[in-house]
Amino acid sequence: MCPFMQFTEGGRKYQCGFCHCINDVPPFFFQHLDHIGRRTDHYERPELSLGSYEYVATLDYCRNNKPPNSPAYIFMIDVSYSNIKSGLVKLICNELKTVLDKLPREEQEETSAIRVGFVTYNKVLHFFNVKSNLAQPQMMVVSDVGEVFVPLLDGFLVNFQESRSVVNNLLDQIPEMFADTNESETVFAPVIQAGMEALKAAECAGKLFIFHSSLPTAEAPGKLKNRDDKKLINTDKEKILFQPQMNIYESLARDCVAHGCCVDLFLFPNQYVDVASMGLVTMYTGGTLYKYNNFQVHSDGPQFLGDLRKDLEKRTGFDAIMRVRTSTGFRPTDFFGAIYMNNTTDVEMAAVDCDKAITVEFKHDDKLNEDSGALIQCAVLYTSISGQRRLRVHNIGLNCSSQLADLYKSCETDALINFFAKSAFKAILSQPLKTIREILVSQTARMLACYRKNCASPSAVSQLILPDAMKVLPVYINCLLKSCVLVGRPEIPTDERAYHRQLVMSMDVADTQLFFYPQLLPIHTIDVKSDAFPTAVRCSEERLSEGGVFFLANGLNMMLWLGVSAPPELIQGIFNVPSFAHISTEITLLPEVDNPYSKKLRSIMDYIQSNRPYSMKLLIAKQREQAEMLFRQYLVEDKGLYGGASYVDFLCCVHKEICQLLS
């Protein structure tokens, strides 16, 4: 039932807006109609008056027809030599003691219903019993990684508030327990398998938080070898680099989705770890992948802890399944996101959170009616953080037009870019990069040529004419073509490309917009008396000036570029040092200086950060120094460092294609 149903015969029948069938209204739902043919309870029923609403689901919508248990979070920490030595394990354990108090809960609840469990691992797995009545946590070792089993049920998943002292005790002991380890080999697939088996045994959905740092080379299922072969780049075999090394990760992902087990992976690699294989389960289960290269506790700690806190506290639905329905004339044909599809209609997600978006492609394959428009309904069945089974329904009615000009007028370029990026990144698994790049250019040219031919007023062929709503389409498509995923260059690590590919696949529209075209703010133009941000400038070297300070953010990184003759009072205000020469490029956090410039810049950074899913680490780039090269790769309107056209050159190229199409 939704707002697009028409009631007839005094409220006894209704016509479905999607299939136009006329049905009887069941007696329990009957209501009289008023003088304009609307039900008298129209405004009292959300499903008749609102676009989005939520039901508590009945038992038919629950597994095995019984209400679900509340979800659980399992923390799985790689305690191999490098993680202990870097101080990472200690950092994680210290942080968990404070952050477990902030587990998400329903608004009306005092405490979170989520239960927690702890596992450490290297070549073997260690499960911990943290039952509230124990004086000390107990460790149980599972050394058979070929057939992992869960050595204990009672005492493994606990309520943090009840078991607080035992859990804190355990978190204090873990870094000491493994302090003298010299075990550098790890397993990976058995860790996910064990977490999933534990959730399955507890009959609940949940999430695994896995903190891992190296290629899993120990003898076990899912053992990986280094296959990072630069010779494959720009050949027809390049796609292999983005595919998982072995089938076990696919089947593990399928099992995880079937049991509502979501995997969040925090990677701390010092070398190649095969993100394409290791991140696969995360991708398919609706989890999030985080990656910190050459992790140093003092410089990368704040970024990692920011991510961990946000990840732990975010609103999440578990064991979810989504369907998209449409009225006649068009239908959903493809879905992109951190999802798994067993068939063509059901979008399955072991979990879905507030930072994930699903992009749906619709195919228009029949007549659409201008009077009745087109309807879309998206229904998501999921388990809430308190363990309640719910149905969330979104409805939207769209206008239809037989005029192409209307279509071009109301085009959403940002949504198009999100869609093109995801389609291209999905196609990488099956097509050569060269083909994908050519398709992107030709699709752009075709859309613009069609406008020129059918909608634009006649003008000289030599003129490039773009529809108002698509003025920025070429610049964004060019940014996409220059992204590290689509630029095959041996200097760019394969893992970095696989990582970016995975992030973009579940990004929402605002995030892809910022990711492909960073925000660049001239900080030297700040008016400290006003609340307004400085106006963003275009990402091109010609916008920079020696006397300027520019702040850049793309959702993953933040950079501060400092011109050699930046105003000394600005340098003093932001960094609390006397001159440009004194600024350290090592810092990753700005000092808290009691000064209007410092306060203003930090508030701008906090604001930009607060709207983004990932914590951004700050890098300082001084003009004419090494880090400036890093900064330049974000100036997306210029020629790319690793090839890729400047915006002006790309416009010429697209214009040439358009002219060919028109002639």
Side-chain angles (χ1 to χ4, degrees), residues 1-5 18 45-56 325 376-380 382 390-396:
M1 189 45 64
C2 71
F4 304 123
M5 303 301 189
F18 289 87
R45 286 189 174 273
E47 72 272 23
L48 297 180
S49 54
L50 299 177
S52 299
Y53 43 86
E54 199 165 69
Y55 296 111
V56 175
R325 308 184 177 96
I376 301 175
Q377 181 181 79
C378 165
V380 185
Y382 73 98
R390 296 178 185 170
L391 261 166
R392 181 173 294 190
V393 187
H394 298 293
N395 302 282
I396 187 171

Side-chain angles (χ1 to χ4, degrees), residues 67-289:
N69 292 317
S70 53
Y73 284 179
I74 303 176
F75 299 91
M76 314 185 90
I77 305 169
D78 162 1
V79 288
S80 58
Y81 176 74
S82 62
N83 281 4
I84 293 287
K85 188 167 136 270
S86 69
L88 175 65
V89 172
K90 196 173 174 59
L91 184 73
I92 294 168
C93 292
N94 284 343
E95 183 60 25
L96 287 179
K97 286 191 287 198
T98 54
V99 86
L100 288 174
D101 269 324
K102 301 199 180 89
L103 287 171
R105 55 186 167 85
E106 294 293 348
E107 278 155 23
Q108 65 280 11
E109 300 291 336
E110 288 286 299
T111 58
S112 173
I114 293 172
R115 289 164 298 161
V116 294
F118 302 88
V119 174
T120 55
Y121 66 93
N122 37 46
K123 267 198 333 200
V124 296
L125 287 83
H126 322 103
F127 283 75
F128 294 94
N129 182 348
V130 283
K131 202 171 177 179
S132 56
N133 58 7
L134 292 175
Q136 283 284 332
Q138 293 169 349
M139 174 160 106
M140 301 191 183
V141 180
V142 175
S143 50
D144 181 2
V145 288
E147 289 285 330
V148 275
F149 63 95
V150 183
L152 78 157
L153 286 181
D154 188 31
F156 177 58
L157 294 178
V158 296
N159 176 312
F160 175 63
Q161 304 300 340
E162 290 168 12
S163 292
R164 178 190 296 269
S165 61
V166 196
V167 169
N168 284 346
N169 204 335
L170 170 68
L171 294 169
D172 285 335
Q173 287 176 26
I174 288 175
E176 291 163 17
M177 230 182 271
F178 300 98
D180 301 326
T181 185
N182 47 19
E183 185 54 76
S184 56
E185 282 201 312
T186 55
V187 296
F188 184 65
V191 179
I192 298 176
Q193 182 81 37
M196 182 191 72
E197 296 291 348
L199 292 174
K200 193 166 135 188
E203 295 187 345
C204 69
K207 199 190 245 195
L208 312 180
F209 291 78
I210 303 181
F211 305 93
H212 189 95
S213 68
S214 58
L215 196 69
T217 52
E219 271 316 317
K223 173 184 173 178
L224 297 173
K225 57 179 193 286
N226 188 336
R227 51 154 188 173
D228 190 13
D229 186 357
K230 302 283 183 210
K231 289 199 285 293
L232 299 181
I233 291 172
N234 281 322
T235 69
D236 286 356
K237 287 189 174 161
E238 185 169 2
K239 57 186 177 222
I240 298 170
L241 297 173
F242 294 99
Q243 296 165 357
Q245 233 179 89
M246 44 178 59
N247 295 341
I248 180 168
Y249 288 103
E250 274 283 351
S251 55
L252 196 51
R254 198 168 44 239
D255 291 347
C256 282
V257 173
H259 294 104
C261 169
C262 167
V263 179
D264 276 358
L265 180 56
F266 294 80
L267 277 177
F268 305 88
N270 291 332
Q271 55 210 46
Y272 176 77
V273 289
D274 197 351
V275 170
S277 298
M278 293 188 70
L280 190 82
V281 182
T282 300
M283 174 80 169
Y284 280 153
T285 59
T288 311
L289 177 62

Side-chain angles (χ1 to χ4, degrees), residues 504-604:
V504 169
M505 288 307 286
S506 61
M507 268 186 192
D508 69 14
V509 171
D511 285 334
T512 46
Q513 186 192 15
L514 187 68
F515 181 69
F516 290 114
Y517 196 105
Q519 193 169 19
L520 184 60
L521 303 175
I523 297 302
H524 52 279
T525 64
I526 277 181
D527 177 0
V528 285
K529 295 188 184 66
S530 132
D531 282 342
F533 271 29
T535 307
V537 295
R538 291 171 65 161
C539 289
S540 168
E541 193 183 339
E542 61 185 44
R543 302 294 163 135
L544 304 177
S545 55
E546 290 198 351
V549 172
F550 290 83
F551 173 74
L552 178 139
N554 76 339
L556 286 188
N557 303 296
M558 296 194 282
M559 293 192 84
L560 201 57
W561 182 89
L562 307 159
V564 283
S565 30
E569 68 275 13
L570 193 57
I571 298 284
Q572 174 72 48
I574 297 171
F575 295 99
N576 206 14
V577 297
S579 72
F580 180 82
H582 290 84
I583 298 168
S584 159
T585 51
E586 297 295 300
I587 62 168
T588 55
L589 291 172
L590 287 184
E592 297 198 11
V593 191
D594 188 13
N595 166 294
Y597 289 119
S598 170
K599 286 181 176 163
K600 181 77 186 181
L601 175 56
R602 283 183 291 122
S603 77
I604 288 173

Side-chain angles (χ1 to χ4, degrees), residues 362-415:
F362 294 95
K363 189 174 178 187
H364 166 208
D365 50 11
D366 203 353
K367 280 205 165 41
L368 289 169
N369 186 326
E370 285 200 38
D371 301 332
S372 58
L375 307 181
I376 301 175
Q377 181 181 79
C378 165
V380 185
L381 174 66
Y382 73 98
T383 300
S384 73
I385 44 179
S386 61
Q388 190 177 50
R389 200 73 176 142
R390 296 178 185 170
L391 261 166
R392 181 173 294 190
V393 187
H394 298 293
N395 302 282
I396 187 171
L398 302 169
N399 290 330
C400 297
S401 173
S402 52
Q403 302 301 317
L404 266 176
D406 292 340
L407 199 66
Y408 280 99
K409 248 189 220 118
S410 52
C411 165
E412 260 306 345
T413 303
D414 305 345

Side-chain angles (χ1 to χ4, degrees), residues 431-450:
Q431 287 172 298
L433 282 183
K434 190 169 173 287
T435 312
I436 295 169
R437 291 196 294 260
E438 284 165 1
I439 291 172
L440 282 169
V441 176
S442 84
Q443 283 185 313
T444 306
R446 278 170 51 202
M447 285 191 283
L448 298 173
C450 171

